Amino acid sequence: MGRREGSFNDEIKRKPKSRLKGILKYIISFTIIGTLITVPTLMYIDNFIYKISQSSINSTVRTSKNEEITNALNISLDDSATDLQISYNNKYYTYLKDSKIYINDLKTGENIHIIEEEYPICYYNLLYDKNMIMYFVEFEGRAASTLTLNTYEIDSKRQAEYNSFTVYNFSKIKDMSMSPLINMIYINVETKTQYSSNNIIYKIDLFNNMSQVKSGVIIDKMFMLQHKDRIYYEDTYYNIYSGGYSTLNLFKDDVTMIGLDEDDNLYFLNNETKNKVYVVNSNKLINTIELSDSDIVDTYTNYQGVYLIYPTYILNVSGKDPYKRIGKLSKYVTFEAVKGDTMYLRTKDNKLISTELLDN
């Protein structure tokens, strides 16, 4: 009996230890397997949810469980298309391909028209306040090119031809800035030879007269005021010019122009620290905006607002609250444009998606 009793007691002592080891092994195994399954799954879900939540046009950002996403925008973009632009009323998107302008419906992605000329289209711009395209056709000669300015109204399908002018050693049109309010156009044209390159700013007025405004420097940016005939431009050394040849000497720091708002206020960013935005009107400094973050990825303007693009959010520094985050970004998308209250993004697999801006 004693032997049996002793064996029974030993068995009682051994069983809890054995059970504890088993439980610990089970917990460890479950934790490892759960981690291996959960982490990739959460990453996938995060990516998926972000794409879904960012793919709504003319709807608000998902902020609650009851809020639904409508009119999903998920358009595959042509890999060979360049210069994507979106109309002011979120109705069309356009791009340049094979020297032709493609006009597509923004809801369906279907092509509705192709602008094609006898000679190549070398540049175009979709106006910020109406569904009109301004574009240039190049007839290339031996030493010079003839550039012709044309317009196309998308809704009425009306096409018109305007000014033609000759440019020697023409390379490309770098930029165009115009005011639909006073019908004035400025064009930045690059000329290039084997030994040198140059930029020339041309002006076309209401009566289709053309004149040369500036030559002899490389011009990186150009903005025209919308309510009066005045052009601002910036060269590669961050010199800012007002009008023809006058230098704008308002800043102690190096600055770069980043945009123009609907009240003709010009915005400049501190080029070194990227933590200050200066607001100028009528060649006078009227405001300085101190920024908390300096990791600005890009800037954007649509002649109505001026936006700073950060890795995870955007600011409208021309809005009533220049510090409020009005849009979210992530590593899965890149910023494209803002039209009205809608922000457009491009996914890594080259799809165009959209979301409404947060209240600004």
Side-chain angles (χ1 to χ4, degrees):
M1 289 290 295
R3 189 171 180 180
R4 287 184 178 177
E5 187 177 353
S7 299
F8 181 73
N9 288 335
D10 291 340
E11 188 69 13
I12 292 175
K13 292 177 181 178
R14 285 196 298 270
K15 279 188 177 180
K17 292 181 180 180
S18 177
R19 288 177 180 173
L20 181 60
K21 288 181 180 179
I23 292 171
L24 289 174
K25 287 181 180 179
Y26 176 78
I27 292 173
I28 293 170
S29 299
F30 181 79
T31 303
I32 293 172
I33 293 171
T35 302
L36 291 174
I37 295 174
T38 303
V39 172
T41 302
L42 287 176
M43 291 177 65
Y44 173 81
I45 290 173
D46 176 59
N47 189 3
F48 180 76
I49 290 176
Y50 182 81
K51 287 184 178 181
I52 293 297
S53 66
Q54 296 296 326
S55 62
S56 59
I57 184 170
N58 296 328
S59 60
T60 54
V61 177
R62 184 182 291 277
T63 56
S64 68
K65 292 181 179 179
N66 295 326
E67 188 173 358
E68 295 182 356
I69 295 175
T70 58
N71 301 324
L73 176 68
N74 191 13
I75 294 174
S76 295
L77 298 173
D78 192 314
D79 291 335
S80 59
T82 61
D83 199 8
L84 174 71
Q85 298 183 37
I86 297 165
S87 66
Y88 79 103
N89 59 353
N90 302 295
K91 191 174 181 180
Y92 308 105
Y93 71 97
T94 59
Y95 58 86
L96 197 63
K97 178 184 174 183
D98 300 327
S99 302
K100 306 170 190 174
I101 300 171
Y102 287 75
I103 304 170
N104 288 22
D105 186 283
L106 196 49
K107 276 189 176 181
T108 65
E110 295 180 1
N111 177 255
I112 61 173
H113 187 69
I114 300 174
I115 303 175
E116 183 176 7
E117 297 285 347
E118 181 180 1
Y119 301 107
I121 297 173
C122 61
Y123 182 89
Y124 88 99
N125 192 14
L126 179 57
L127 299 190
Y128 72 87
D129 67 337
K130 61 188 69 171
N131 291 324
M132 176 184 282
I133 294 174
M134 305 188 71
Y135 64 97
F136 289 87
V137 176
E138 179 193 3
F139 172 73
E140 186 176 0
R142 290 184 178 179
S145 292
T146 299
L147 303 178
T148 303
L149 173 62
N150 297 267
T151 62
Y152 179 80
E153 295 182 7
I154 300 176
D155 298 320
S156 66
K157 300 181 180 180
R158 287 194 305 173
Q159 200 161 354
E161 181 178 312
Y162 289 91
N163 208 302
S164 292
F165 58 102
T166 301
V167 179
Y168 288 90
N169 302 314
F170 173 75
S171 172
K172 63 181 180 181
I173 295 177
K174 294 178 66 176
D175 195 9
M176 183 183 79
S177 185
M178 69 103 47
S179 168
L181 301 177
I182 60 175
N183 290 318
M184 204 75 66
I185 305 170
Y186 287 86
I187 311 158
N188 182 16
V189 176
E190 178 184 86
T191 61
K192 188 174 288 187
T193 66
Q194 183 179 354
Y195 306 102
S196 65
S197 60
N198 181 36
N199 290 173
I200 306 170
I201 295 181
Y202 293 98
K203 172 183 173 181
I204 302 176
D205 64 20
L206 177 64
F207 304 102
N208 211 21
N209 297 316
M210 190 162 189
S211 59
Q212 183 174 308
V213 176
K214 179 72 175 179
S215 180
V217 295
I218 304 300
I219 299 163
D220 287 340
K221 297 178 182 179
M222 182 176 69
F223 292 108
M224 178 191 175
L225 299 186
Q226 298 300 290
H227 297 88
K228 60 182 177 181
D229 181 15
R230 175 171 289 178
I231 188 75
Y232 290 82
Y233 49 94
E234 175 184 323
D235 66 21
T236 52
Y237 300 102
Y238 302 110
N239 296 310
I240 311 294
Y241 298 87
S242 170
Y245 291 85
S246 301
T247 305
L248 187 65
N249 296 312
L250 291 177
F251 311 102
K252 296 180 181 179
D253 307 317
D254 286 337
V255 298
T256 182
M257 285 197 303
I258 60 173
L260 181 74
D261 68 18
E262 57 188 353
D263 296 319
D264 275 353
N265 296 315
L266 271 169
Y267 291 74
F268 300 82
L269 176 67
N270 185 305
N271 196 49
E272 296 177 353
T273 62
K274 299 188 186 304
N275 63 356
K276 289 182 182 179
V277 171
Y278 306 100
V279 186
V280 173
N281 188 283
S282 300
N283 290 356
K284 295 179 181 179
L285 182 64
I286 62 172
N287 192 20
T288 300
I289 302 169
E290 302 275 353
L291 303 171
S292 58
D293 295 336
S294 60
D295 57 337
I296 297 173
V297 176
D298 202 357
T299 63
Y300 172 81
T301 184
N302 53 16
Y303 284 89
Q304 294 173 324
V306 181
Y307 303 86
L308 302 181
I309 317 302
Y310 292 88
T312 58
Y313 66 94
I314 70 168
L315 298 179
N316 179 4
V317 289
S318 61
K320 57 186 178 183
D321 183 356
Y323 304 103
K324 183 177 180 180
R325 301 183 181 191
I326 61 168
K328 297 179 181 179
L329 296 174
S330 86
K331 62 183 179 181
Y332 304 113
V333 294
T334 54
F335 175 86
E336 279 292 332
V338 170
K339 295 296 175 179
D341 59 358
T342 304
M343 176 173 67
Y344 292 89
L345 309 168
R346 188 190 295 244
T347 66
K348 287 186 176 181
D349 55 352
N350 210 24
K351 293 185 184 297
L352 184 65
I353 61 175
S354 68
T355 181
E356 276 198 1
L357 296 175
L358 303 176
D359 182 29
N360 190 36

